[in-house]
Amino acid sequence: MSSLMETVRAGRTADALGLLDGLTDAERRAFLPELKALRKELRKAPWEEPSRRAYPALHAAGAVCETGAAAAATWIAATDMRWSQSSPALLLHVLGDRDTAWLADVTHRLAGRPASAGVPYELMAGLVRLSGCPVPTTDAYVRGWVEQTGHLWQRGDTLLDRLRKDPHLAELVAALFETEDIGSPLQWPSAEGPNSWAEALAQLTVEGVLDRKRTVEACVARLLRGGTTLDNRVFLRVVMALALTREEELERIADWSALSSDAVSMVAWHAQSVLGSLALDGELTSRRLAEMSDAVLFRPEKKLVRAQLVLLGKVLARDASAAEELLPALAQAFGHEDAEVQERALKLVERHLKKVDSPEVRAELASGADQLIPALRARAVETLGAAPVTATTTVYEEMLPPAPEGTRLAPAPESAVELAEELGVLMATKGDVATFERALDGLVRHAYQDRESLLEALVPVVARRWWQSDEPENARRADSHFSSTHRTFGSAESALDLLLATLQDKVRTVTLHEGAQHTHLSRECGHSSLSRTFDSRVWEVAYRLRAEPLPFLLSTPSWATGLLEPDELVDRLDTYRHLGARVAAADFAQALLRVRREDRAAAVAAAGRAQALGTTEGTRLARWLTSESPALPLSRRRTFGARVAVELGELLDLQEDFFPAEFRTLGRPVTAHGGHYYCYHWDQDMQRHWLAILPERRELVAARLLRDVSSVALDDTRSGAAVLPLLAESEGVAGEATHLCMAYGLGARHPEGRLAAVDALLVLAARGQLDVARLGTDLGELVLSGAVKPSRLAESVRTGAATGANATIWGILRHTLGALLADLDGDAKPAHARALGDLLTVAAECAERSGARGELPYLTQTAARGGSSRLVAQARRLRTALVAEVAA
């Protein structure tokens, strides 16, 4: 080993660079093989003191010895040395004697790397100074410049002062407006005020340091291009700080129109205010205003639409000649989803209709009235001459998505190589139940058929697993991990890790045997029975891989939901009989829980074949298939504060002696504990595997998942509702727990949770399994308890109605609203009263579209209240819809 390598290993950076000082390029390159070998060695070394000590010296020495610009840039920006590299000042010192053209090449290569590469801005900026090259305007360089300029504080210094002194200000500011997702660093050192980027850039245009016209054009162009919310907010601040003159605003009328039409709300609001000011000053033609209104009134944001209606009303009041061009634009609002917007637009048209002489314009307005809600449509028949709607033209048809069709599980991969590829993808992406079950069955089959070929194919899959190492200490650590984690799997990936580690002999046989005999050690939570069932099956498979390989798994499902066809299970038992293979207890128990029994004809036919096998398992399967499908266990509701839970009684059929002990816990009562709840199942992707344990008894799973789902509404968690579509696609009775899960999901804090709940609701409705009365009553109870916020519920039901399921949503809301309206006692205003108007709006829309009729308790009293609040107005609208003779 050379003295240079000894110095680098010891981390003596200064000494290492001293040894390289004065050498020729050829002499420096001669050290590269040793430096690269050390780098390769350190990649595999634990992240401990020796490796961390060597990295800075290695980083600096390699940068000096790499004499090609491309190679030097690659070494400097290497990912493996990013967190312990030499300082930018040191690199600038050792590279300072290189040719300026070489330095410029390195500079632009480093600047051209993505910002995620983490190349220090100080290094790139220093190389620009040393080489005298043009400043890079890449994403990484501009981000580094923004962060460095905004965060570097000196006594008496400001952001504006630093920008004034920057020799490359014009080029970098121009690039700033082209850089995506730059809003976050531009928030520093201050979002607003004299030390903000917006104020500083505006002041620099006043001083003439930046060209004002070019800056304004670049900023407006950036807003037109769009981007993240933060980007739009920051660049909008810049536009506002620039305080455009009236001449500058007039030059960009087309830009303001485009922004008011397509930009995000805050940008559209500013553009709308600019155009509104121009219109009120008579500097915007009626045609331009009408074109802008066509776009703005089509937007869903009520604030923008209402502001546009106010603007049109002011312009029409001032200029009667504008009516013929502006009133047709107003008709765009007739089709808006908000009934209040429709009413305001109709009032404006009625007020200014006398100013229109053109028959064509009047006919256009009458035609546009077709989009109005029934109550307003009836008014438009009288005031605008709109055509009335007869009962024969209002036949309603409910639009529900097609009921999902089951997905057949593909056979296990035929070759070990194909299995290894699928395992690699599965462990990287978690996958679904079907992918996991195919991989599990494939491991068992190939281990039984040709273990050596399987091990060879798995080499690239296991190469980077945490437990894969030839060191004895690491092997002991892997075995200790699997034996001391309470033998439970927090994810499907960890379950596969056990199986792969078993095949690689990283887990002792005694550990596997103990796991197969006694899965859980101590911990209990609401999911323990489901977790134990899943875990015991995996531990049994792992033990049999070592001690007595199985030819294949009996419990591999036929369908992606976990269902297993009875004929297929009989065929598998017959094959076991011919092979003389011993059935694994947990595998067979899981097969029994998955086998389809609801199709009684198929079950009875398969039972006869199973009995004829003459085996113990065949007899048990026959008895299982011919036994009556068990009813749901007794249930009762429990309330803990705002949370409503469901408790289930025991199920004796799941506690039969032939089920392993871990499986019998599925039949025990499900209790709801108030404040005493501990759970170690953090990966909610396991929920899909739990559903596949009892694919024909979703209510038993729903009761155990209820607390997870309720947290999306009560605790504002994000992912608990993701299981709802899978719950809706499962089999078995959709009972109290299932519907309560749906109710919580519809009140989820996050939009993705509400969308998952709406999807699940529509699937249940399409399958004819949705009890609208039960769900509506549950929602009313949860709103009154404070568990579900009515504003969130309104968003969910509005989404469901938008798919065309108006009758379904109305059926739910009529039961929810009955409870909520009853709570409006006299002049009291419950917490939900404000958002109740939104729910009444959706209910009125659904009733109008579906032609619903009948009485709704307490609706008449609410509609009879004084005032014109949204609550009262929508109550009157709903009452009108429910008692109307014709949906007109």
Side-chain angles (χ1 to χ4, degrees):
M1 182 186 298
S2 66
S3 57
L4 174 66
M5 297 307 299
E6 292 177 353
T7 306
V8 170
R9 282 184 180 275
R12 302 199 301 271
T13 306
D15 293 342
L17 295 177
L19 293 173
L20 293 170
D21 190 27
L23 299 182
T24 65
D25 284 353
E27 290 171 332
R28 291 176 177 176
R29 282 196 298 270
F31 287 110
L32 281 174
E34 288 183 296
L35 292 172
K36 290 179 179 179
L38 175 58
R39 180 180 171 188
K40 184 177 181 180
E41 176 188 331
L42 291 178
R43 284 197 196 110
K44 298 180 180 179
W47 189 246
E48 298 170 352
E49 183 60 29
S51 61
R52 285 188 283 118
R53 183 172 62 244
Y55 265 124
L58 175 63
H59 187 248
V64 173
C65 294
E66 290 282 14
T67 56
T74 300
W75 185 281
I76 291 170
T79 303
D80 56 324
M81 292 185 281
R82 181 186 306 171
W83 304 112
S84 192
Q85 57 183 234
S86 52
S87 68
L90 180 62
L91 289 177
L92 290 172
H93 175 71
V94 299
L95 298 177
D97 60 349
R98 299 292 182 96
D99 178 70
T100 55
W102 186 91
L103 288 173
D105 193 0
V106 172
T107 302
H108 285 276
R109 288 179 184 275
L110 290 175
R113 290 179 172 268
S116 58
V119 179
Y121 170 75
E122 298 93 328
L123 175 61
M124 295 186 287
L127 289 172
V128 169
R129 290 193 299 271
L130 289 174
S131 64
C133 67
V135 64
T137 55
T138 62
D139 181 79
Y141 195 92
V142 173
R143 286 180 186 280
W145 172 69
V146 169
E147 292 172 0
Q148 180 79 355
T149 306
H151 288 72
L152 183 62
W153 286 88
Q154 298 174 359
R155 187 177 182 83
D157 196 16
T158 66
L159 175 63
L160 182 60
D161 293 332
R162 292 193 291 277
L163 291 175
R164 282 197 191 103
K165 299 172 186 176
D166 196 312
H168 306 292
L169 181 64
E171 300 96 314
L172 291 171
V173 168
L176 178 67
F177 291 112
E178 300 292 333
T179 304
E180 299 296 332
D181 199 16
I182 195 67
S184 181
L186 285 176
Q187 295 281 71
W188 292 88
S190 175
E192 297 178 352
N195 212 26
S196 69
W197 277 89
E199 296 289 345
L201 293 176
Q203 181 60 33
L204 290 172
T205 64
V206 172
E207 297 173 3
V209 178
L210 291 175
D211 181 86
R212 180 175 176 85
K213 183 176 182 179
R214 190 172 299 170
T215 303
V216 171
E217 288 178 350
C219 194
V220 173
R222 177 53 189 266
L223 291 176
L224 285 167
R225 192 166 70 249
T228 65
T229 300
L230 196 52
D231 280 1
N232 280 298
R233 182 178 295 120
V234 168
F235 288 110
L236 178 59
R237 286 197 189 112
V238 176
V239 167
M240 296 174 71
L242 287 168
L244 272 59
T245 64
R246 181 49 55 92
E247 290 73 20
E248 289 173 327
E249 291 176 344
L250 285 169
E251 289 174 2
R252 294 168 179 82
I253 286 179
D255 294 334
W256 305 130
S257 296
L259 289 172
S260 65
S261 171
D262 300 319
V264 296
S265 295
M266 56 186 166
V267 177
W269 178 261
H270 177 74
Q272 182 188 45
S273 66
V274 172
L275 290 173
S277 176
L278 294 175
L280 293 175
D281 289 345
E283 296 184 277
L284 189 69
T285 65
S286 298
R287 181 175 295 278
R288 282 279 197 179
L289 181 57
E291 291 173 354
M292 169 216 178
S293 299
D294 281 341
V296 174
L297 294 176
F298 191 73
R299 295 183 65 121
E301 299 95 333
K302 298 174 186 177
K303 181 180 177 181
L304 287 171
V305 173
R306 290 171 181 170
Q308 192 67 20
L309 292 176
V310 170
L311 173 62
L312 289 172
K314 290 179 179 179
V315 173
L316 286 167
R318 292 186 179 189
D319 184 6
S321 64
E324 291 199 356
E325 286 190 300
L326 296 184
L327 289 188
L330 265 173
Q332 290 287 337
F334 289 173
H336 198 275
E337 62 179 15
D338 185 2
E340 292 181 14
V341 168
Q342 292 187 20
E343 186 172 12
R344 290 187 184 191
L346 180 59
K347 284 181 178 179
L348 275 175
V349 171
E350 290 171 338
R351 185 181 306 151
H352 299 283
L353 185 62
K354 60 180 178 293
K355 301 175 183 177
V356 175
D357 296 324
S358 170
E360 291 80 7
V361 173
R362 287 177 173 267
E364 185 177 350
L365 293 172
S367 175
D370 290 347
Q371 305 170 81
L372 293 167
I373 62 173
L376 298 178
R377 176 67 184 277
R379 211 168 90 190
V381 170
E382 299 178 6
T383 59
L384 303 184
V389 178
T390 62
T392 57
T393 62
T394 58
V395 177
Y396 173 75
E397 182 179 356
E398 182 82 341
M399 298 293 293
L400 291 173
E405 297 182 0
T407 303
R408 269 276 186 178
L409 217 68
E414 293 185 1
S415 70
V417 173
E418 183 184 356
L419 171 64
E421 291 175 351
E422 292 197 12
L423 275 169
V425 174
L426 176 60
M427 300 187 78
T429 61
K430 297 185 179 180
D432 55 14
V433 170
T435 309
F436 174 80
E437 292 291 345
R438 289 183 66 248
L440 187 63
D441 189 40
L443 278 174
V444 170
R445 288 175 182 270
H446 288 285
Y448 179 82
Q449 295 166 4
D450 190 343
R451 191 184 189 91
E452 294 304 318
S453 296
L454 175 61
L455 292 175
E456 182 180 352
L458 290 175
V459 168
V461 177
V462 303
R464 299 187 69 85
R465 304 308 298 175
W466 61 268
W467 44 262
Q468 177 64 1
S469 174
D470 295 331
E471 298 179 10
E473 180 60 32
N474 193 68
R476 286 192 293 273
R477 183 165 49 186
D479 183 82
S480 175
H481 169 82
F482 287 116
S483 63
S484 64
T485 55
H486 300 276
R487 304 196 185 104
T488 188
F489 303 106
S491 66
E493 179 186 5
S494 62
L496 292 172
D497 263 325
L498 172 65
L499 300 177
L500 293 174
T502 298
L503 289 169
Q504 300 292 322
D505 294 327
K506 302 298 181 184
V507 187
R508 296 179 303 154
T509 302
V510 66
T511 300
L512 297 173
H513 183 264
E514 290 175 356
Q517 294 299 314
H518 306 286
T519 306
H520 284 242
L521 295 176
S522 61
R523 293 179 177 177
E524 292 286 338
C525 75
H527 313 112
S528 290
S529 59
L530 297 168
S531 178
R532 288 183 174 188
T533 303
F534 178 89
D535 298 341
S536 65
R537 177 174 174 240
V538 173
W539 275 104
E540 182 187 69
V541 169
Y543 175 69
R544 292 294 294 266
L545 283 174
R546 174 71 54 78
E548 187 183 356
L550 296 165
F552 51 82
L553 292 179
L554 295 172
S555 57
T556 301
S558 308
W559 301 91
T561 58
L563 269 178
L564 173 58
E565 293 298 336
D567 280 337
E568 291 185 33
L569 180 53
V570 175
D571 291 341
R572 293 172 188 176
L573 285 174
D574 191 27
T575 303
Y576 261 63
R577 182 174 62 87
H578 285 298
L579 294 173
R582 185 170 65 89
V583 171
D587 182 36
F588 181 59
Q590 177 63 90
L592 291 180
L593 294 180
R594 283 178 169 170
V595 71
R596 187 193 295 274
R597 291 197 290 171
E598 288 189 356
D599 185 344
R600 299 308 300 162
V604 171
R609 292 182 56 216
Q611 187 69 46
L613 293 177
T615 63
T616 302
E617 288 77 17
T619 301
R620 286 177 180 170
L621 174 58
R623 191 177 72 180
W624 183 257
L625 289 173
T626 54
S627 63
E628 292 185 8
S629 297
L632 288 177
L634 295 176
S635 66
R636 67 168 180 167
R637 297 167 83 95
R638 292 283 300 277
T639 302
F640 305 97
R643 181 175 266 111
V644 178
V646 172
E647 294 188 331
L648 299 181
E650 66 177 351
L651 283 169
L652 297 179
D653 70 308
L654 294 182
Q655 299 182 62
E656 295 278 359
D657 291 341
F658 59 81
F659 280 117
E662 303 293 359
F663 281 70
R664 290 199 290 271
T665 61
L666 291 169
R668 293 175 186 167
V670 178
T671 60
H673 301 284
H676 305 288
Y677 184 89
Y678 172 77
C679 181
Y680 52 94
H681 299 101
W682 301 295
D683 190 341
Q684 292 185 329
D685 284 324
M686 285 301 296
Q687 293 174 346
R688 65 185 70 182
H689 296 282
W690 294 339
L691 274 169
I693 290 173
L694 293 162
E696 276 194 328
R697 300 191 185 187
R698 68 171 141 208
E699 190 70 4
L700 303 186
V701 183
R704 291 170 169 88
L705 297 180
L706 186 54
R707 186 167 185 118
D708 296 310
V709 179
S710 68
S711 66
V712 302
L714 283 160
D715 306 322
D716 294 349
T717 57
R718 185 173 290 275
S719 58
V723 72
L724 293 179
L726 298 177
L727 188 64
E729 293 176 15
S730 194
E731 300 293 335
V733 175
E736 190 171 13
T738 300
H739 281 78
L740 201 50
C741 282
M742 300 297 167
Y744 279 119
L746 292 172
R749 161 67 176 81
H750 298 284
E752 61 269 28
R754 297 195 295 270
L755 187 59
V758 172
D759 286 343
L761 181 154
L762 295 175
V763 168
L764 280 180
R767 301 181 71 187
Q769 298 170 340
L770 180 67
D771 186 336
V772 293
R774 168 175 276 168
L775 180 57
T777 303
D778 285 344
L779 286 168
E781 180 180 357
L782 294 179
V783 171
L784 291 175
S785 73
V788 168
K789 290 182 170 56
S791 57
R792 298 176 185 173
L793 175 58
E795 288 296 323
S796 295
V797 293
R798 182 177 290 111
T799 301
T803 67
N806 293 286
T808 299
I809 299 301
W810 165 246
I812 295 169
L813 287 179
R814 73 178 303 155
H815 293 90
T816 303
L817 289 171
L820 301 185
L821 293 175
D823 197 47
L824 292 174
D825 183 16
D827 294 328
K829 293 184 178 180
H832 62 266
R834 182 174 181 180
L836 186 52
D838 293 332
L839 284 174
L840 284 167
T841 300
V842 180
E845 291 171 355
C846 292
E848 290 165 352
R849 292 168 184 164
S850 64
R853 298 291 181 271
E855 294 292 331
L856 181 62
Y858 303 101
L859 179 62
T860 300
Q861 294 92 313
T862 305
R865 287 184 166 209
S868 58
S869 66
R870 183 176 182 80
L871 172 66
V872 174
Q874 295 305 314
R876 292 168 181 167
R877 176 187 173 188
L878 176 57
R879 184 186 59 181
T880 300
L882 293 177
V883 301
E885 290 295 327
V886 177

PDB file of all heavy atoms in Angstrom, residues 236-254:
ATOM      1  N   LEU A 236     -46.992  35.659  -8.058  1.00  0.00           N
ATOM      2  CA  LEU A 236     -48.082  36.626  -7.969  1.00  0.00           C
ATOM      3  C   LEU A 236     -47.678  37.791  -7.068  1.00  0.00           C
ATOM      4  O   LEU A 236     -47.985  38.958  -7.363  1.00  0.00           O
ATOM      5  CB  LEU A 236     -49.349  35.944  -7.441  1.00  0.00           C
ATOM      6  CG  LEU A 236     -50.573  36.852  -7.249  1.00  0.00           C
ATOM      7  CD1 LEU A 236     -50.973  37.516  -8.572  1.00  0.00           C
ATOM      8  CD2 LEU A 236     -51.736  36.061  -6.674  1.00  0.00           C
ATOM      9  N   ARG A 237     -46.971  37.476  -5.974  1.00  0.00           N
ATOM     10  CA  ARG A 237     -46.476  38.555  -5.111  1.00  0.00           C
ATOM     11  C   ARG A 237     -45.525  39.476  -5.872  1.00  0.00           C
ATOM     12  O   ARG A 237     -45.526  40.685  -5.661  1.00  0.00           O
ATOM     13  CB  ARG A 237     -45.747  37.952  -3.905  1.00  0.00           C
ATOM     14  CG  ARG A 237     -46.647  37.325  -2.867  1.00  0.00           C
ATOM     15  CD  ARG A 237     -45.902  37.139  -1.565  1.00  0.00           C
ATOM     16  NE  ARG A 237     -46.678  36.353  -0.622  1.00  0.00           N
ATOM     17  CZ  ARG A 237     -46.349  35.130  -0.226  1.00  0.00           C
ATOM     18  NH1 ARG A 237     -45.257  34.562  -0.696  1.00  0.00           N
ATOM     19  NH2 ARG A 237     -47.106  34.493   0.634  1.00  0.00           N
ATOM     20  N   VAL A 238     -44.718  38.891  -6.751  1.00  0.00           N
ATOM     21  CA  VAL A 238     -43.791  39.713  -7.528  1.00  0.00           C
ATOM     22  C   VAL A 238     -44.566  40.660  -8.440  1.00  0.00           C
ATOM     23  O   VAL A 238     -44.262  41.855  -8.527  1.00  0.00           O
ATOM     24  CB  VAL A 238     -42.829  38.824  -8.344  1.00  0.00           C
ATOM     25  CG1 VAL A 238     -41.928  39.693  -9.231  1.00  0.00           C
ATOM     26  CG2 VAL A 238     -41.977  37.958  -7.424  1.00  0.00           C
ATOM     27  N   VAL A 239     -45.580  40.121  -9.128  1.00  0.00           N
ATOM     28  CA  VAL A 239     -46.387  40.967 -10.010  1.00  0.00           C
ATOM     29  C   VAL A 239     -47.039  42.100  -9.225  1.00  0.00           C
ATOM     30  O   VAL A 239     -47.044  43.266  -9.653  1.00  0.00           O
ATOM     31  CB  VAL A 239     -47.469  40.118 -10.720  1.00  0.00           C
ATOM     32  CG1 VAL A 239     -48.506  41.007 -11.374  1.00  0.00           C
ATOM     33  CG2 VAL A 239     -46.830  39.232 -11.772  1.00  0.00           C
ATOM     34  N   MET A 240     -47.575  41.775  -8.072  1.00  0.00           N
ATOM     35  CA  MET A 240     -48.239  42.802  -7.277  1.00  0.00           C
ATOM     36  C   MET A 240     -47.236  43.820  -6.733  1.00  0.00           C
ATOM     37  O   MET A 240     -47.539  45.015  -6.640  1.00  0.00           O
ATOM     38  CB  MET A 240     -49.022  42.143  -6.141  1.00  0.00           C
ATOM     39  CG  MET A 240     -50.151  41.242  -6.634  1.00  0.00           C
ATOM     40  SD  MET A 240     -50.978  40.316  -5.333  1.00  0.00           S
ATOM     41  CE  MET A 240     -51.862  41.630  -4.516  1.00  0.00           C
ATOM     42  N   ALA A 241     -46.031  43.367  -6.367  1.00  0.00           N
ATOM     43  CA  ALA A 241     -45.013  44.286  -5.877  1.00  0.00           C
ATOM     44  C   ALA A 241     -44.528  45.227  -6.978  1.00  0.00           C
ATOM     45  O   ALA A 241     -44.143  46.368  -6.706  1.00  0.00           O
ATOM     46  CB  ALA A 241     -43.835  43.502  -5.300  1.00  0.00           C
ATOM     47  N   LEU A 242     -44.565  44.737  -8.223  1.00  0.00           N
ATOM     48  CA  LEU A 242     -44.144  45.591  -9.343  1.00  0.00           C
ATOM     49  C   LEU A 242     -45.110  46.745  -9.573  1.00  0.00           C
ATOM     50  O   LEU A 242     -44.753  47.735 -10.222  1.00  0.00           O
ATOM     51  CB  LEU A 242     -44.020  44.741 -10.617  1.00  0.00           C
ATOM     52  CG  LEU A 242     -42.807  43.791 -10.670  1.00  0.00           C
ATOM     53  CD1 LEU A 242     -42.952  42.808 -11.822  1.00  0.00           C
ATOM     54  CD2 LEU A 242     -41.508  44.560 -10.783  1.00  0.00           C
ATOM     55  N   ALA A 243     -46.337  46.623  -9.068  1.00  0.00           N
ATOM     56  CA  ALA A 243     -47.334  47.705  -9.155  1.00  0.00           C
ATOM     57  C   ALA A 243     -47.434  48.244 -10.579  1.00  0.00           C
ATOM     58  O   ALA A 243     -47.063  49.387 -10.866  1.00  0.00           O
ATOM     59  CB  ALA A 243     -46.984  48.837  -8.179  1.00  0.00           C
ATOM     60  N   LEU A 244     -47.960  47.411 -11.472  1.00  0.00           N
ATOM     61  CA  LEU A 244     -48.024  47.776 -12.889  1.00  0.00           C
ATOM     62  C   LEU A 244     -48.839  49.042 -13.102  1.00  0.00           C
ATOM     63  O   LEU A 244     -49.872  49.253 -12.451  1.00  0.00           O
ATOM     64  CB  LEU A 244     -48.639  46.624 -13.700  1.00  0.00           C
ATOM     65  CG  LEU A 244     -47.667  45.554 -14.215  1.00  0.00           C
ATOM     66  CD1 LEU A 244     -46.925  44.881 -13.076  1.00  0.00           C
ATOM     67  CD2 LEU A 244     -48.401  44.524 -15.052  1.00  0.00           C
ATOM     68  N   THR A 245     -48.386  49.843 -14.022  1.00  0.00           N
ATOM     69  CA  THR A 245     -49.122  51.055 -14.392  1.00  0.00           C
ATOM     70  C   THR A 245     -50.306  50.677 -15.259  1.00  0.00           C
ATOM     71  O   THR A 245     -50.409  49.542 -15.749  1.00  0.00           O
ATOM     72  CB  THR A 245     -48.212  52.019 -15.153  1.00  0.00           C
ATOM     73  OG1 THR A 245     -47.825  51.398 -16.397  1.00  0.00           O
ATOM     74  CG2 THR A 245     -46.960  52.356 -14.350  1.00  0.00           C
ATOM     75  N   ARG A 246     -51.223  51.638 -15.458  1.00  0.00           N
ATOM     76  CA  ARG A 246     -52.380  51.368 -16.296  1.00  0.00           C
ATOM     77  C   ARG A 246     -51.948  51.010 -17.711  1.00  0.00           C
ATOM     78  O   ARG A 246     -52.546  50.121 -18.343  1.00  0.00           O
ATOM     79  CB  ARG A 246     -53.300  52.598 -16.288  1.00  0.00           C
ATOM     80  CG  ARG A 246     -54.585  52.450 -17.115  1.00  0.00           C
ATOM     81  CD  ARG A 246     -55.343  51.158 -16.815  1.00  0.00           C
ATOM     82  NE  ARG A 246     -55.679  50.945 -15.437  1.00  0.00           N
ATOM     83  CZ  ARG A 246     -56.819  51.318 -14.880  1.00  0.00           C
ATOM     84  NH1 ARG A 246     -57.742  51.933 -15.581  1.00  0.00           N
ATOM     85  NH2 ARG A 246     -57.065  51.051 -13.615  1.00  0.00           N
ATOM     86  N   GLU A 247     -50.923  51.649 -18.234  1.00  0.00           N
ATOM     87  CA  GLU A 247     -50.434  51.336 -19.576  1.00  0.00           C
ATOM     88  C   GLU A 247     -49.908  49.909 -19.641  1.00  0.00           C
ATOM     89  O   GLU A 247     -50.159  49.179 -20.615  1.00  0.00           O
ATOM     90  CB  GLU A 247     -49.334  52.316 -19.987  1.00  0.00           C
ATOM     91  CG  GLU A 247     -49.794  53.738 -20.256  1.00  0.00           C
ATOM     92  CD  GLU A 247     -50.159  54.484 -18.970  1.00  0.00           C
ATOM     93  OE1 GLU A 247     -49.707  54.041 -17.874  1.00  0.00           O
ATOM     94  OE2 GLU A 247     -50.900  55.479 -19.054  1.00  0.00           O
ATOM     95  N   GLU A 248     -49.179  49.494 -18.616  1.00  0.00           N
ATOM     96  CA  GLU A 248     -48.651  48.123 -18.586  1.00  0.00           C
ATOM     97  C   GLU A 248     -49.790  47.114 -18.486  1.00  0.00           C
ATOM     98  O   GLU A 248     -49.707  46.019 -19.066  1.00  0.00           O
ATOM     99  CB  GLU A 248     -47.689  47.960 -17.412  1.00  0.00           C
ATOM    100  CG  GLU A 248     -46.370  48.702 -17.607  1.00  0.00           C
ATOM    101  CD  GLU A 248     -45.494  48.673 -16.362  1.00  0.00           C
ATOM    102  OE1 GLU A 248     -46.057  48.667 -15.238  1.00  0.00           O
ATOM    103  OE2 GLU A 248     -44.259  48.673 -16.504  1.00  0.00           O
ATOM    104  N   GLU A 249     -50.829  47.439 -17.764  1.00  0.00           N
ATOM    105  CA  GLU A 249     -51.976  46.531 -17.669  1.00  0.00           C
ATOM    106  C   GLU A 249     -52.709  46.426 -18.997  1.00  0.00           C
ATOM    107  O   GLU A 249     -53.113  45.330 -19.413  1.00  0.00           O
ATOM    108  CB  GLU A 249     -52.932  47.017 -16.582  1.00  0.00           C
ATOM    109  CG  GLU A 249     -52.379  46.874 -15.181  1.00  0.00           C
ATOM    110  CD  GLU A 249     -53.292  47.449 -14.116  1.00  0.00           C
ATOM    111  OE1 GLU A 249     -54.203  48.222 -14.481  1.00  0.00           O
ATOM    112  OE2 GLU A 249     -53.098  47.111 -12.922  1.00  0.00           O
ATOM    113  N   LEU A 250     -52.875  47.559 -19.688  1.00  0.00           N
ATOM    114  CA  LEU A 250     -53.580  47.556 -20.972  1.00  0.00           C
ATOM    115  C   LEU A 250     -52.820  46.766 -22.025  1.00  0.00           C
ATOM    116  O   LEU A 250     -53.426  46.146 -22.906  1.00  0.00           O
ATOM    117  CB  LEU A 250     -53.794  48.996 -21.446  1.00  0.00           C
ATOM    118  CG  LEU A 250     -54.891  49.778 -20.715  1.00  0.00           C
ATOM    119  CD1 LEU A 250     -54.835  51.252 -21.081  1.00  0.00           C
ATOM    120  CD2 LEU A 250     -56.263  49.196 -21.033  1.00  0.00           C
ATOM    121  N   GLU A 251     -51.502  46.766 -21.951  1.00  0.00           N
ATOM    122  CA  GLU A 251     -50.701  46.031 -22.928  1.00  0.00           C
ATOM    123  C   GLU A 251     -50.908  44.517 -22.810  1.00  0.00           C
ATOM    124  O   GLU A 251     -50.612  43.780 -23.749  1.00  0.00           O
ATOM    125  CB  GLU A 251     -49.215  46.350 -22.727  1.00  0.00           C
ATOM    126  CG  GLU A 251     -48.810  47.758 -23.130  1.00  0.00           C
ATOM    127  CD  GLU A 251     -47.357  48.055 -22.767  1.00  0.00           C
ATOM    128  OE1 GLU A 251     -46.687  47.131 -22.240  1.00  0.00           O
ATOM    129  OE2 GLU A 251     -46.898  49.180 -23.004  1.00  0.00           O
ATOM    130  N   ARG A 252     -51.404  44.081 -21.667  1.00  0.00           N
ATOM    131  CA  ARG A 252     -51.473  42.631 -21.401  1.00  0.00           C
ATOM    132  C   ARG A 252     -52.906  42.163 -21.152  1.00  0.00           C
ATOM    133  O   ARG A 252     -53.146  41.242 -20.362  1.00  0.00           O
ATOM    134  CB  ARG A 252     -50.585  42.291 -20.201  1.00  0.00           C
ATOM    135  CG  ARG A 252     -49.112  42.534 -20.499  1.00  0.00           C
ATOM    136  CD  ARG A 252     -48.227  42.482 -19.269  1.00  0.00           C
ATOM    137  NE  ARG A 252     -46.848  42.704 -19.659  1.00  0.00           N
ATOM    138  CZ  ARG A 252     -46.313  43.903 -19.874  1.00  0.00           C
ATOM    139  NH1 ARG A 252     -47.067  45.000 -19.736  1.00  0.00           N
ATOM    140  NH2 ARG A 252     -45.053  44.013 -20.246  1.00  0.00           N
ATOM    141  N   ILE A 253     -53.861  42.780 -21.813  1.00  0.00           N
ATOM    142  CA  ILE A 253     -55.262  42.381 -21.628  1.00  0.00           C
ATOM    143  C   ILE A 253     -55.467  40.907 -21.985  1.00  0.00           C
ATOM    144  O   ILE A 253     -56.181  40.168 -21.290  1.00  0.00           O
ATOM    145  CB  ILE A 253     -56.188  43.281 -22.475  1.00  0.00           C
ATOM    146  CG1 ILE A 253     -56.283  44.670 -21.825  1.00  0.00           C
ATOM    147  CG2 ILE A 253     -57.575  42.673 -22.606  1.00  0.00           C
ATOM    148  CD1 ILE A 253     -57.145  45.650 -22.595  1.00  0.00           C
ATOM    149  N   ALA A 254     -54.837  40.456 -23.065  1.00  0.00           N
ATOM    150  CA  ALA A 254     -54.984  39.045 -23.463  1.00  0.00           C
ATOM    151  C   ALA A 254     -54.431  38.114 -22.391  1.00  0.00           C
ATOM    152  O   ALA A 254     -54.999  37.036 -22.125  1.00  0.00           O
ATOM    153  CB  ALA A 254     -54.265  38.803 -24.790  1.00  0.00           C
TER     154      ALA A 254
END
